[in-house]
Amino acid sequence: YKGVPDDIPFVEVDFIFSSICEEIGAVFGILLVILIITCFMLMIKIALKCNNKFYRLTAFGLSVLYIFQVFLTIGGGIKFIPLTGVTLPLISYGGSSIVSVMIMFFIFLSIHKINQTQIIENDTTCEDDTIIDLDQSQEQEILESEEVFDEKVETEQIKTE
């Protein structure tokens, strides 16, 4: 049995999810929803790992925008909510929609990259080039021990003179 996507109005933009489920099957539609939710969860994970408040709020806002757009499209296609004409990200037909979603993904990529470089810059390195993460008290102990060492070296230099 082959589906009839011509019976669905505005199949390229508004009812693309309904058309996908009719042509490929409900299992593929469920897998598509799982893929979209996984993408949303990764966006939230990136937002939670951000140290900078601006980047964190930007990532949260864009991830909510993404999942809300998906909810409006799929919810409108299954008659759960009124159809608004919002496109399904990266699936519906429309050049400006694809460009805006790609820009949103690139912003997420940039936020993730910036966060990774900040983590690397904040870590300290050992002599064997392994990276360790120190908390505030450990850093303070190291600084105090270095100061004590410097004082001992100075007193030894004074004694030798």
Side-chain angles (χ1 to χ4, degrees), residues 54-73:
F54 173 74
Y55 294 137
R56 187 180 321 122
L57 291 176
T58 301
F60 271 124
L62 289 175
S63 60
V64 167
L65 176 75
Y66 174 77
I67 201 68
F68 191 68
Q69 187 173 356
V70 170
F71 174 72
L72 285 176
T73 305

Side-chain angles (χ1 to χ4, degrees), residues 5 9 15 49 56 61-62 66 69 73 82 95 97 101 116 144 147 158 160:
F15 292 103
K49 287 188 176 186
R56 187 180 321 122
L62 289 175
Y66 174 77
Q69 187 173 356
T73 305
S97 172
V101 171
Q116 291 299 318
E144 289 173 0
E147 290 173 3
I158 292 174
T160 57

Side-chain angles (χ1 to χ4, degrees), residues 29-63:
I30 291 170
L31 290 175
L32 182 63
V33 170
I34 290 171
L35 178 71
I36 289 170
I37 291 173
T38 303
C39 189
F40 171 69
M41 296 303 290
L42 288 173
M43 291 175 181
I44 293 294
K45 184 178 177 183
I46 289 171
L48 288 174
K49 287 188 176 186
C50 286
N51 297 329
N52 189 329
K53 189 175 183 179
F54 173 74
Y55 294 137
R56 187 180 321 122
L57 291 176
T58 301
F60 271 124
L62 289 175
S63 60

Side-chain angles (χ1 to χ4, degrees), residues 137-150:
S137 62
Q138 290 172 331
E139 288 180 17
Q140 188 65 29
E141 288 175 15
I142 291 172
L143 290 174
E144 289 173 0
S145 65
E146 287 176 355
E147 290 173 3
V148 169
F149 179 76
D150 290 340

